[in-house]
Amino acid sequence: MPCQNNGTCMDLVNGYNCTCLNGFTGDNCQTALDEFNGVICEKNGACVNETNFYHYECISSFSGDKCQTSKYIRLFSY
C-alpha cells in the first residue's frame, strides 16, 4: 500500500487516496507536521517535535513546561 505512517488507503478508479492520521500530511502521509513551527524555546531549551505534539528539553539550570523557571534562587538583589 502506498499510504505511510498508518494512513488509510482508499482505492479509486485509476488511483488512490490516503487519509492521514493526525500529525501527518502529504499525498502518501509521508510528512510529519512540525507542531512547534514558530514556537520560541526559552533559555537555550531544545524544542523536540513528536507526532502530534512537541515538548521542551531544558538545560540543567532551568525547568518548567517552556524552560522558563530558573532552578537557582537569587540570594542578592542589586
Side-chain angles (χ1 to χ4, degrees):
M1 291 294 204
C3 300
Q4 301 174 25
N5 297 304
N6 294 316
T8 303
C9 187
M10 178 183 230
D11 190 16
L12 303 173
V13 177
N14 295 325
Y16 64 93
N17 183 48
C18 292
T19 301
C20 304
L21 294 177
N22 287 337
F24 295 96
T25 190
D27 291 340
N28 297 320
C29 305
Q30 74 277 7
T31 304
L33 295 174
D34 183 358
E35 281 81 11
F36 61 79
N37 185 18
V39 173
I40 297 173
C41 297
E42 298 182 35
K43 313 296 190 215
N44 294 320
C47 294
V48 180
N49 190 27
E50 300 284 348
T51 301
N52 233 12
F53 71 99
Y54 66 92
H55 70 271
Y56 292 92
E57 289 184 358
C58 306
I59 60 174
S60 62
S61 56
F62 290 92
S63 64
D65 59 345
K66 292 184 178 178
C67 303
Q68 73 277 12
T69 306
S70 174
K71 290 183 180 179
Y72 300 105
I73 299 171
R74 182 186 260 185
L75 298 177
F76 304 99
S77 62
Y78 298 93

